[in-house]
Amino acid sequence: MNKIPVGILGATGMVGQRFVQLLEGHPWFEVSQVLASERSAGQPYGAACHWLLPTPMPAAAQGLPVKAISPDTAAKLDCRLLFSALPGKEARPVEENYAQAGYAVCSNASAHRMDADAPLLIPEVNAAHTRLIDVQRRGRGWPGFIVTNANCSTTALAIVLRPLQDAFGLRRLSVVTMQAISGAGYPGVASLDILGNVIPYIDGEEEKVESEPLKLLGKFDQAAIQPADFRISAQCNRVPVLNGHTECLSLEFEQPADPSTVIEALETFSAGEPVAGLPSTPARPVIVRREPDSPQPARDVETQRGMAVLVGRVRPCPLFDIKLVLLGHNTVRGAAGGAIHNAELLLAQGYLES
Amino acid sequence: MNKIPVGILGATGMVGQRFVQLLEGHPWFEVSQVLASERSAGQPYGAACHWLLPTPMPAAAQGLPVKAISPDTAAKLDCRLLFSALPGKEARPVEENYAQAGYAVCSNASAHRMDADAPLLIPEVNAAHTRLIDVQRRGRGWPGFIVTNANCSTTALAIVLRPLQDAFGLRRLSVVTMQAISGAGYPGVASLDILGNVIPYIDGEEEKVESEPLKLLGKFDQAAIQPADFRISAQCNRVPVLNGHTECLSLEFEQPADPSTVIEALETFSAGEPVAGLPSTPARPVIVRREPDSPQPARDVETQRGMAVLVGRVRPCPLFDIKLVLLGHNTVRGAAGGAIHNAELLLAQGYLES
Amino acid sequence: MNKIPVGILGATGMVGQRFVQLLEGHPWFEVSQVLASERSAGQPYGAACHWLLPTPMPAAAQGLPVKAISPDTAAKLDCRLLFSALPGKEARPVEENYAQAGYAVCSNASAHRMDADAPLLIPEVNAAHTRLIDVQRRGRGWPGFIVTNANCSTTALAIVLRPLQDAFGLRRLSVVTMQAISGAGYPGVASLDILGNVIPYIDGEEEKVESEPLKLLGKFDQAAIQPADFRISAQCNRVPVLNGHTECLSLEFEQPADPSTVIEALETFSAGEPVAGLPSTPARPVIVRREPDSPQPARDVETQRGMAVLVGRVRPCPLFDIKLVLLGHNTVRGAAGGAIHNAELLLAQGYLES
Amino acid sequence: MNKIPVGILGATGMVGQRFVQLLEGHPWFEVSQVLASERSAGQPYGAACHWLLPTPMPAAAQGLPVKAISPDTAAKLDCRLLFSALPGKEARPVEENYAQAGYAVCSNASAHRMDADAPLLIPEVNAAHTRLIDVQRRGRGWPGFIVTNANCSTTALAIVLRPLQDAFGLRRLSVVTMQAISGAGYPGVASLDILGNVIPYIDGEEEKVESEPLKLLGKFDQAAIQPADFRISAQCNRVPVLNGHTECLSLEFEQPADPSTVIEALETFSAGEPVAGLPSTPARPVIVRREPDSPQPARDVETQRGMAVLVGRVRPCPLFDIKLVLLGHNTVRGAAGGAIHNAELLLAQGYLES
C-alpha cells in the first residue's frame, strides 16, 4: 500500500528528531513535511538540524526542505496528519490553527492534554478515549482535531497502573522519579548543572504526574471522561542519565495484593484488538524483571525498541501494599513513539479517513 | 592541651581516608595509629594507601607505619580510642576483640548497630543513649566498649526526623534515596555499572534505613532502648554522584503540620549542651533551602564542612502531610565525621577517661 | 549451509560478551561452546554471566553450559574454531594449549601479538599476513594455530594509516588517545577513579600503540614480517566514555600531502577480494566527516555496526603535515568484532578446513 | 591597610562568580561593584546570579546591587580597578570604554590579548611585559589601561614552558588538550552533548593555544614584544570533567634534555621579586608528580588553591625529546585567579597608583 504522508511540527528539536528517526521505515507512515521556526525555514533538514541521536539521520529526511510554522502554511501541506513536537508554550495556538485547517494533530505537547474534549491517549491504556474526538470536532467546529499523548513520566506509569487498577483497584500511590536529561530537550540541561549531580526539581512535572494518570485511567461516559478515583503524590528529580526515566513506586490497593499476584497482573496484561495489531505495540507492554538490581536505564531502556515498560523489585511495602521500580523510554514510549502509536490507533479506528 | 592519640581500623579504604583527612588539625584528637590488613602492614601509610580524596594526604599521616589488624596488636597500641572503618563482615570480631582489650571503639560499621547493648549514636539526635555503654560493659565484662554511628542514609534522615518527631509525632514515612558512589567504598561501584545509569538497588540498605531510625529516635529506659513507634518504607538507588545522598521524603504526622511549621521546627532545631560545644557540631544541624531546586549534591554537600543536613522543597503531600528533599554528606556526616562527632561526645561526657 | 560451531574462551567477561552478542545471527558461525574459569563452570551461561550490554543476551546463549578452561577440555570441544577473550596474562599458555590440541584460535589477547610467527591481523590492512600461519605450524609442530587481532587503540589507528602509508609514505606520527572505560573490562575502572575525571595513563598501552602498527603495516617476506619503517609517539588517557576510543593524530609523510589529498586517500580506501566479501567488512573502512566537531564517541561509535573507523578535522599541522581525529569502537572493531572478522578471512582463505 | 575597592564586569557568569569567590577575604582587594547586563541591573547580586560554585556565595556579595554595563556607568564607579569576565565579543568596546574613562582593566577576555600594545600577562612568566602599559597609554591617550591574562589552556602551558624555554630552548611542541566544561561558561556545554562523550573541537581554541605562548614568552624590546621563536601544534577536546584542563605535550628542544633535567628545571622554577611576594603566587608554580597516573583533574585540580600547575609522566618521546602531561585549573589559574594575580603584580609595580 502507499504510505500515508505525515508532517512534523518542531522537527529539528530533540523530540522532533525522534519522530524522524522512528518513522524511518514505518510500515504505514512516511515523513513528507518538516516544520520548524522561521529561522530554519528554507534550509534542507540536514543543514537546519543539529542531529543528536546515535543512529544516522535518515537519508530521506536530509533533503526535505524545512517549512516555517505559520498561519500561512497551515493550509498548504501535502499531508493530513501532523505530529507535534512543539514546546508547551508555543503548542497551543499552533496546534489549534492546524486542527482548524483540517489536520489531524497527534501532539506530544502538554498544552491540550487536560482539555476536557482532547483525548489523552495511550493505546494499551484507554483506546476508547478516541471517542472524544467527535466531541471535540462538534464542540469546536473543526474539520481536523487534536489528540495528545501523556507526559514522559506519566506514560510509563500509566501503562503499569492500568492492569493494577483493573486487578486490584488503586487507592493511593507515591512515585519518585529519576529522569533522563533527554527529557528536557536541547540544549536543555546545562552540563554544569547535572554532571555528577542530582537536581531535585523539574518545573511543572509533579503536577502532570499527579493529574494525568487520573484522566488516562478514567472512563469515557457520554461526552466526557470521568477521571479515576485514586490519589498520587509525585517527586521528580533529574539525574545524569541519557535516556530512560526510572520511577520508584509505593502502591495501596482496594483489594488484597501481594508480589506474586501483582507480577501476574503485570505479565498477563496485553492490549486487545485493534491495539495488539498496531506496528508500534510491543509484544508485551510490561516486562517484569526478577534480578534484584533491574531495571536500569543504561542497560534496559531499548528493550522492545523502547516501547516496553520494565518493572522490577516487586516487593511488599511496609506502609502501603507493594513497592516496585519501573523504567520507560522517555523520548520513545514517552514522547515521539507514543504519538506515532496513537496515530496508528487513529488509523486503525478510521479517524484518519477523509 | 595535649591531643588524644587515636587509631584507625581499616585506615586505607575510602572511609578510613576520610578519618585521616577529617582528623587533620582536629582540636582534640590526633592520629597515632593506622591499621589495615596484613597485606599493607609494615609500609608507610603514604605508600600503602591509594589516596582518593581531592585534598592532599596530611603530611603527618604519610609516614605512619601501617600496622596489621590482628589479635596480637590488640593490646599494644599507644592509644585508647579507635575509629573503625572496617567493612561490615570483618568488623564484628575485630571490634569486639579491641573492646575486650580495653579500647573505646567508635565504629562506622553496621555490625553492632542493632545490638541491644550498643549505642547507635548521633549527638544531636540521642546523646542520652551513651548510657547504654555502662550496660554493655557490665553485660560483656569488657574494659573497653563499642559505640556505633548509623548508616550513611539513615544519619541524614534521623537528623531531620528528630525535630519533626518532637514537634509533630511521626506516624509513617516513605523515603527514596539517590546515593553517591563513595558510599560503596573503593573500588566499589564499577564505572561500567554506573556511568550514565541508575542502579535501583543497594544490598541491605533498605533494611537499615527502615530499622535504624527507630532505635535512634527511641528512648533509653532503664537498661535498654525502647524503639520509636512509627513506620518507614525505603527505596534505595545508586546514582552517578561522587558525594552526597539525596533523599525524597513523604511524611505523615500525629499532629497537624504544614510547610511553615515544619520549616520552623527544622530551623529552630539545635543541640543542647554538651553537644552544642563539640568541635564537629555544625552551627545548625539542619539548613532549610528556599530555592525551588535545592539542595543538590554537587553544589551543597560541603556546607558546614559536610556536617549539616540540607532540606529543601518542603511542601504539602497529597497522600501524607509533607514532602521534602534532604541531602547529607555520606562519607563525612554519614560515616567518618559522624564517628568523630560521637567520640567528641564521649569525651565530653567522660567516657574516654581511664 | 550449516553454520560452523565456535567456542569462546573467557566468555563471561566484557569482550566475551561482545563475542556472544556479535555472533548472534552471524551468517557463517554459531556459538556452541562457552568457556570460562572453574568458578563459572557447570552453570548455564545466563546464570554465570553478569550481562553488561544494552541489547538482551541472545536466547541461544542463555542455556549453554559454561565449561572450564583447562588442559582437559582442550581436546573435547565440538568445534574447531575458538575465539579468545582471555586477559593478557592467562592467555599465553591457554591459547597455546588449544592450538597444540588442533584448534584455530582467533585471539583478542595481547600475549602472542608480537610473536614473530603469529599473524597480527586486520583484514583490510594486511590480509596477506595469514601466510605466517604456515610458518607457525611448521615451527611449532601444531595441528592448530593462533591468529591475533591488534590492541583496541592500534586497530582503529592502523586502518587509517594503511591508505596513508600507501599514498604518502609515513615518516613520523604522534597520537594522543582518549579511551573508553569498556576497554578495561569488568569490573575494570572504578567509578571513583573516572567519574568527572581523566586518567592520563593506561598500563602497557603506549608501548602497544607504538609497536603494533609497525608489524601490521609490515611486509610478509619469505617466512617473516619486515616491519614498516616509521616512528610513533603515543600518549594514552582514560576518559568517562562508555564505548569508543578517540585519537588525535599528527602525521608527517614522505610525500607531499594536504587535507584534500589525505581525505581522498581515506575515502577511496577499500579492501580487495576476498576481504570485501566478508560479512563483517564495512561498506567503507574509513568514513570522513566534514562537520567541524565530528566524530564523537557518544554519537558515532555505532556507525556501520561499529566496524567503520571515523575520521574528522583533517587539517594542516604546523609541525608535521596533517592533523586529524579518529574514532573506533574499542570492543567491536578493536576487539571481538575484529577477531570475528579475522576468522571470516581465515575461512575465506581456506585456513579453517581440516 | 584599607582594602582597594574593585569592580567586576560580567559578575554573574561562570568566571564572574569565580572572581567573587576568589576575592572573598583577599588581603588587598575587596569587591565593591558588580556589573552585568541591563537585564540583571538593579537586583541584588544574590538574586541576579544563578550561583554555580560549591562554596556558598560570599555574604558580602549577596546584597551588592548589580549595575548595568553601559557608557553611562563608566565614569561613576567608586573603584579604579575593574576585572573583566565578559565574553569575547562584548569585551572589546566595553573594556576600551572603561580604560578610556580612567579605569585599570584586568581582563580575562580574549579581545585585546594579541593587541600589540596590550600586555598578555602571567606574573611568573613575563612580569616585565607590564612595561607595555606605558606604550598603550601613550598610544591611545587613555588615563586607564587594559591588561589581559591568557586563555585557560595557554596559561597552564606557558607556566610549564617558561622554565623549559630558559633551560633548553624550545623548538617545537605538540599539545593535545582535554578541557573541562567550566571553560565554556554557563549554560555553556549542553549535557546532551557531553555526558559520556568527547567533543574533539573547541571553537577558536587551537588558534589561541598556538599563538598566545609566543607572545607570553616573547621579550619586551623598546616599545614592543618580540615573540618567541618556536612552533606549536594544538588539538583541543572537551571532556566531561568539571574543572581542570589536562594537556598532553610532546616537546623538542634546542639543547639536550632528558627527564631528569626537565624535572629539575620544572621543580627549581620560581618567581623572583616582586612576584614571589604576591598573595596569589603559589609556593611553587609547577609541581611535578612521580606517580605513574598523575595528575588527574578530579583529584589534583585544587592543589595550592588552584594556582599551581601540575606535571606528571615526564618521559622520553620517540619523536621529539620529552613527553609529559600537565594539569591546570581553568577557571582559577586560567581565568579569574590569573587576572587577580595580574592585578596584584600591577599594584606591586605601582601601576594602580593614581
Side-chain angles (χ1 to χ4, degrees):
Chain A
M1 86 179 185
N2 284 339
K3 291 190 184 175
I4 296 168
V6 303
I8 300 168
L9 298 167
T12 57
M14 186 76 207
V15 171
Q17 294 181 25
R18 275 286 183 199
F19 276 112
V20 170
Q21 181 200 48
L22 295 174
L23 289 167
E24 186 184 21
H26 192 281
W28 297 355
F29 305 129
E30 75 184 338
V31 179
S32 70
Q33 305 284 331
V34 285
L35 298 100
S37 65
E38 278 295 347
R39 193 166 36 85
S40 302
Q43 299 178 60
Y45 184 70
C49 176
H50 175 49
W51 189 253
L52 297 161
L53 300 173
T55 56
M57 182 186 289
Q62 289 180 30
L64 287 177
V66 177
K67 294 188 179 168
I69 297 168
S70 79
D72 293 343
T73 60
K76 299 178 184 165
L77 303 173
D78 72 351
C79 63
R80 299 274 318 277
L81 172 62
L82 290 173
F83 292 108
S84 168
L86 294 170
K89 284 164 198 168
E90 302 172 30
R92 180 169 283 278
V94 170
E95 292 175 6
E96 296 186 358
N97 185 20
Y98 280 96
Q100 204 166 2
Y103 295 90
V105 179
C106 287
S107 172
N108 180 58
S110 62
H112 295 92
R113 281 185 199 146
M114 299 304 286
D115 286 3
D117 64 350
L120 177 59
L121 192 64
I122 300 174
E124 294 94 332
V125 172
N126 62 349
H129 287 204
T130 52
R131 295 171 63 192
L132 264 187
I133 293 172
D134 301 323
V135 178
Q136 183 188 129
R137 282 172 142 170
R138 274 198 310 271
R140 307 218 189 193
W142 289 344
F145 59 86
I146 297 169
V147 164
T148 67
N149 55 277
N151 163 276
C152 47
S153 297
T154 303
T155 299
L157 177 61
I159 291 169
V160 168
L161 293 184
R162 173 81 277 169
L164 300 180
Q165 166 81 324
D166 294 347
F168 309 106
L170 289 161
R171 190 177 287 164
R172 298 195 288 185
L173 76 102
S174 159
V175 54
V176 176
T177 68
M178 293 170 282
Q179 301 187 211
I181 55 172
S182 58
Y186 183 85
V189 184
S191 56
L192 281 169
D193 282 333
I194 199 65
L195 189 72
N197 202 14
V198 168
I199 306 174
Y201 177 70
I202 300 173
D203 187 36
E205 193 79 359
E206 296 176 357
E207 292 79 357
K208 292 172 191 167
V209 176
E210 292 182 352
S211 60
E212 294 182 5
L214 305 181
K215 179 172 179 181
L216 282 159
L217 272 71
K219 285 214 172 69
F220 180 81
D221 179 19
Q222 308 288 354
I225 305 295
Q226 300 303 324
D229 183 26
F230 56 89
R231 272 186 299 149
I232 305 174
S233 176
Q235 304 191 59
C236 295
N237 302 282
R238 187 77 67 193
V239 292
V241 162
L242 185 56
N243 290 311
H245 290 358
T246 304
E247 310 182 18
C248 290
L249 268 65
S250 186
L251 298 142
E252 187 180 47
F253 300 113
E254 300 283 348
Q255 306 296 329
D258 62 34
S260 66
T261 56
V262 163
I263 289 172
E264 189 190 353
L266 294 172
E267 293 198 322
T268 57
F269 175 46
S270 68
E273 288 303 328
V275 174
L278 304 178
S280 297
T281 301
R284 277 161 54 181
V286 180
I287 293 173
V288 180
R289 288 295 182 81
R290 262 75 173 185
E291 305 90 330
D293 59 353
S294 282
Q296 296 178 18
R299 299 264 155 79
D300 301 313
V301 74
E302 300 292 345
T303 307
Q304 299 209 18
R305 290 164 303 121
M307 290 299 287
V309 178
L310 293 109
V311 166
R313 306 203 65 216
V314 181
R315 59 206 193 283
C317 176
L319 301 190
F320 290 163
D321 294 302
I322 290 289
K323 290 192 280 199
L324 59 82
V325 179
L326 68 83
L327 170 69
H329 197 307
N330 55 301
T331 62
V332 176
R333 177 50 107 151
I340 294 169
H341 200 197
N342 285 349
E344 294 167 359
L345 177 63
L346 296 177
L347 185 70
Q349 291 182 334
Y351 283 98
L352 297 186
E353 287 154 29
S354 45
Chain B
M1 84 180 187
N2 285 339
K3 291 190 184 176
I4 297 170
V6 303
I8 301 168
L9 298 166
T12 57
M14 185 77 209
V15 171
Q17 294 182 23
R18 275 286 183 200
F19 275 112
V20 171
Q21 181 200 48
L22 294 174
L23 288 167
E24 185 183 22
H26 192 280
W28 296 353
F29 305 129
E30 74 185 338
V31 180
S32 70
Q33 304 283 332
V34 285
L35 298 100
S37 65
E38 277 295 349
R39 194 164 36 84
S40 303
Q43 300 178 62
Y45 184 70
C49 175
H50 175 50
W51 188 253
L52 297 162
L53 299 173
T55 57
M57 181 186 291
Q62 290 180 30
L64 287 177
V66 177
K67 294 191 179 166
I69 297 168
S70 78
D72 293 343
T73 60
K76 300 178 184 167
L77 302 173
D78 72 351
C79 64
R80 300 272 319 276
L81 173 61
L82 290 172
F83 293 108
S84 168
L86 295 170
K89 285 164 197 166
E90 303 172 28
R92 179 170 283 280
V94 170
E95 292 175 5
E96 296 186 358
N97 184 22
Y98 280 96
Q100 205 165 1
Y103 296 90
V105 179
C106 287
S107 172
N108 180 56
S110 62
H112 295 93
R113 280 185 200 146
M114 300 304 286
D115 286 3
D117 64 352
L120 177 60
L121 193 64
I122 301 173
E124 295 95 330
V125 171
N126 62 349
H129 286 204
T130 52
R131 296 172 63 191
L132 264 187
I133 292 171
D134 302 321
V135 179
Q136 183 189 129
R137 283 171 141 171
R138 276 198 308 272
R140 307 218 190 194
W142 290 345
F145 58 86
I146 297 168
V147 164
T148 66
N149 56 276
N151 163 276
C152 47
S153 297
T154 303
T155 300
L157 177 61
I159 291 169
V160 168
L161 294 185
R162 174 80 278 170
L164 299 181
Q165 166 81 324
D166 293 348
F168 310 107
L170 287 161
R171 190 177 287 162
R172 299 195 286 186
L173 76 101
S174 160
V175 54
V176 176
T177 69
M178 292 169 283
Q179 302 187 209
I181 55 173
S182 57
Y186 184 83
V189 184
S191 56
L192 280 169
D193 282 333
I194 198 64
L195 188 71
N197 202 13
V198 168
I199 306 175
Y201 177 71
I202 299 172
D203 187 35
E205 192 80 357
E206 296 177 356
E207 292 78 358
K208 293 172 191 165
V209 177
E210 292 181 353
S211 60
E212 294 182 6
L214 304 181
K215 179 172 179 182
L216 282 159
L217 273 71
K219 286 214 172 67
F220 179 82
D221 179 18
Q222 310 286 353
I225 305 294
Q226 300 304 324
D229 182 28
F230 56 91
R231 272 187 298 149
I232 305 173
S233 176
Q235 305 191 59
C236 294
N237 302 282
R238 187 76 67 194
V239 292
V241 162
L242 184 57
N243 289 311
H245 290 356
T246 304
E247 310 182 19
C248 291
L249 268 65
S250 186
L251 298 142
E252 189 181 45
F253 300 113
E254 299 285 347
Q255 306 296 329
D258 61 36
S260 67
T261 56
V262 163
I263 289 173
E264 191 191 350
L266 294 172
E267 294 197 324
T268 57
F269 175 46
S270 67
E273 287 304 327
V275 174
L278 304 178
S280 297
T281 301
R284 277 160 55 178
V286 180
I287 293 173
V288 181
R289 290 294 182 82
R290 264 73 175 187
E291 305 91 329
D293 58 353
S294 281
Q296 297 178 19
R299 299 265 155 79
D300 301 313
V301 76
E302 301 291 345
T303 306
Q304 300 208 17
R305 292 163 302 122
M307 289 299 287
V309 178
L310 294 109
V311 166
R313 304 203 68 215
V314 182
R315 59 206 194 284
C317 175
L319 301 190
F320 290 164
D321 294 304
I322 290 288
K323 291 192 280 198
L324 59 82
V325 179
L326 68 83
L327 169 70
H329 197 306
N330 53 300
T331 63
V332 178
R333 178 51 108 149
I340 295 169
H341 201 197
N342 285 348
E344 294 167 0
L345 178 62
L346 296 177
L347 184 70
Q349 291 182 335
Y351 282 100
L352 297 187
E353 286 152 30
S354 43
Chain C
M1 85 181 186
N2 284 339
K3 291 190 184 175
I4 296 169
V6 304
I8 300 168
L9 297 166
T12 58
M14 185 76 208
V15 172
Q17 294 181 24
R18 275 286 181 199
F19 275 112
V20 170
Q21 181 199 48
L22 295 174
L23 288 167
E24 185 184 21
H26 191 280
W28 296 354
F29 304 129
E30 74 184 339
V31 180
S32 71
Q33 304 284 332
V34 284
L35 298 100
S37 66
E38 278 296 347
R39 193 166 36 84
S40 301
Q43 300 179 59
Y45 184 71
C49 175
H50 175 49
W51 189 253
L52 297 161
L53 299 173
T55 57
M57 182 186 288
Q62 289 180 28
L64 286 177
V66 177
K67 294 191 179 165
I69 297 169
S70 79
D72 294 343
T73 59
K76 300 178 184 166
L77 302 174
D78 72 350
C79 62
R80 300 273 317 277
L81 173 60
L82 290 173
F83 292 107
S84 168
L86 294 170
K89 285 164 199 169
E90 303 172 30
R92 178 169 285 277
V94 170
E95 292 175 5
E96 295 186 359
N97 184 21
Y98 281 96
Q100 205 166 2
Y103 296 89
V105 179
C106 287
S107 172
N108 181 58
S110 62
H112 295 92
R113 280 184 200 147
M114 300 305 286
D115 287 3
D117 64 351
L120 177 60
L121 193 65
I122 301 173
E124 294 94 331
V125 171
N126 62 349
H129 287 203
T130 53
R131 294 172 63 192
L132 264 186
I133 292 171
D134 302 322
V135 178
Q136 182 187 131
R137 282 172 140 169
R138 274 199 310 271
R140 308 217 188 194
W142 290 343
F145 59 86
I146 297 169
V147 164
T148 66
N149 54 277
N151 163 275
C152 48
S153 297
T154 303
T155 300
L157 178 61
I159 291 169
V160 167
L161 294 184
R162 174 80 278 169
L164 300 181
Q165 166 81 322
D166 294 347
F168 310 107
L170 289 161
R171 189 177 288 164
R172 298 195 287 185
L173 76 101
S174 160
V175 54
V176 176
T177 69
M178 293 170 283
Q179 301 187 212
I181 55 173
S182 58
Y186 184 84
V189 184
S191 55
L192 281 168
D193 282 333
I194 198 65
L195 188 70
N197 202 12
V198 168
I199 305 174
Y201 178 71
I202 299 172
D203 187 35
E205 192 80 359
E206 296 176 355
E207 293 78 357
K208 292 171 190 166
V209 176
E210 292 181 352
S211 61
E212 294 182 6
L214 304 181
K215 179 171 179 182
L216 282 159
L217 273 69
K219 285 212 172 69
F220 180 81
D221 179 20
Q222 309 287 353
I225 306 295
Q226 300 305 323
D229 182 26
F230 55 91
R231 273 187 299 149
I232 305 174
S233 175
Q235 304 191 60
C236 295
N237 302 282
R238 187 78 67 193
V239 292
V241 162
L242 183 57
N243 289 312
H245 289 358
T246 304
E247 309 182 19
C248 291
L249 269 64
S250 186
L251 298 142
E252 188 180 47
F253 300 113
E254 299 284 348
Q255 307 296 329
D258 62 35
S260 66
T261 57
V262 164
I263 290 173
E264 190 190 352
L266 295 171
E267 293 197 322
T268 57
F269 174 46
S270 67
E273 287 304 328
V275 174
L278 304 177
S280 297
T281 302
R284 278 160 54 179
V286 179
I287 293 173
V288 181
R289 289 294 181 83
R290 262 74 174 186
E291 304 91 330
D293 58 354
S294 281
Q296 297 178 18
R299 299 265 155 80
D300 301 313
V301 75
E302 300 291 346
T303 306
Q304 299 210 17
R305 290 164 301 122
M307 290 299 286
V309 178
L310 293 109
V311 166
R313 305 203 66 216
V314 181
R315 59 207 193 283
C317 175
L319 301 190
F320 290 164
D321 293 304
I322 290 288
K323 291 192 280 198
L324 58 83
V325 179
L326 69 83
L327 169 70
H329 197 309
N330 55 300
T331 62
V332 177
R333 177 51 106 151
I340 294 169
H341 201 197
N342 284 349
E344 293 167 0
L345 177 63
L346 296 177
L347 184 70
Q349 291 182 334
Y351 283 100
L352 297 186
E353 285 154 30
S354 44
Chain D
M1 84 182 186
N2 285 338
K3 290 190 184 175
I4 296 169
V6 303
I8 300 168
L9 297 167
T12 57
M14 185 76 209
V15 171
Q17 296 181 23
R18 274 287 180 201
F19 276 112
V20 171
Q21 182 200 47
L22 295 174
L23 287 167
E24 185 183 21
H26 192 280
W28 296 354
F29 304 129
E30 77 186 335
V31 180
S32 70
Q33 303 284 332
V34 286
L35 299 101
S37 65
E38 278 295 347
R39 195 165 35 84
S40 302
Q43 301 179 60
Y45 184 70
C49 176
H50 175 49
W51 189 254
L52 297 162
L53 299 173
T55 58
M57 182 186 290
Q62 290 180 29
L64 286 178
V66 177
K67 294 190 180 165
I69 297 169
S70 78
D72 294 343
T73 61
K76 300 178 185 165
L77 302 172
D78 72 352
C79 63
R80 298 273 319 275
L81 173 60
L82 290 172
F83 293 108
S84 167
L86 295 170
K89 285 164 197 167
E90 302 172 29
R92 181 169 281 279
V94 170
E95 292 175 5
E96 296 186 358
N97 184 22
Y98 281 96
Q100 205 166 3
Y103 295 90
V105 179
C106 287
S107 171
N108 180 57
S110 61
H112 294 93
R113 280 184 201 147
M114 299 304 284
D115 286 4
D117 64 352
L120 177 60
L121 193 65
I122 300 173
E124 294 94 332
V125 171
N126 62 348
H129 287 203
T130 53
R131 296 172 63 191
L132 264 187
I133 293 171
D134 302 321
V135 178
Q136 183 188 129
R137 281 171 143 171
R138 276 198 308 272
R140 307 215 190 195
W142 291 344
F145 59 85
I146 296 169
V147 164
T148 66
N149 56 277
N151 164 275
C152 47
S153 297
T154 302
T155 300
L157 177 61
I159 290 169
V160 168
L161 293 185
R162 172 82 277 168
L164 300 181
Q165 167 81 325
D166 293 347
F168 310 108
L170 289 161
R171 190 179 285 162
R172 298 196 287 185
L173 75 101
S174 160
V175 53
V176 176
T177 69
M178 294 170 282
Q179 302 188 208
I181 55 173
S182 58
Y186 183 84
V189 184
S191 55
L192 281 168
D193 282 332
I194 198 65
L195 188 72
N197 202 14
V198 168
I199 306 175
Y201 177 70
I202 300 172
D203 187 34
E205 192 79 358
E206 296 176 357
E207 292 78 357
K208 293 172 190 165
V209 176
E210 292 181 353
S211 60
E212 293 182 5
L214 305 181
K215 180 173 179 181
L216 282 159
L217 273 71
K219 287 212 172 68
F220 180 81
D221 179 18
Q222 308 287 353
I225 305 295
Q226 300 304 324
D229 183 28
F230 56 89
R231 273 186 298 148
I232 305 173
S233 176
Q235 305 191 58
C236 294
N237 303 282
R238 187 78 67 193
V239 293
V241 163
L242 183 56
N243 289 311
H245 290 357
T246 304
E247 310 184 18
C248 291
L249 267 64
S250 186
L251 298 141
E252 188 181 45
F253 300 113
E254 300 285 347
Q255 306 296 329
D258 61 35
S260 65
T261 55
V262 163
I263 289 173
E264 191 191 351
L266 294 172
E267 294 197 325
T268 57
F269 174 47
S270 68
E273 288 303 325
V275 174
L278 304 178
S280 297
T281 301
R284 277 160 55 179
V286 179
I287 293 172
V288 180
R289 290 294 182 84
R290 264 72 175 187
E291 305 91 328
D293 59 353
S294 281
Q296 297 178 18
R299 299 264 155 80
D300 302 313
V301 76
E302 300 291 346
T303 306
Q304 300 210 16
R305 290 164 303 122
M307 289 301 286
V309 178
L310 294 109
V311 166
R313 305 203 69 217
V314 181
R315 60 207 193 282
C317 175
L319 301 190
F320 290 164
D321 294 303
I322 290 288
K323 290 191 280 196
L324 59 81
V325 179
L326 69 83
L327 169 70
H329 197 306
N330 55 299
T331 62
V332 177
R333 179 50 107 150
I340 294 169
H341 201 197
N342 284 348
E344 294 167 359
L345 177 63
L346 296 177
L347 185 70
Q349 292 182 334
Y351 283 100
L352 298 186
E353 286 152 31
S354 44

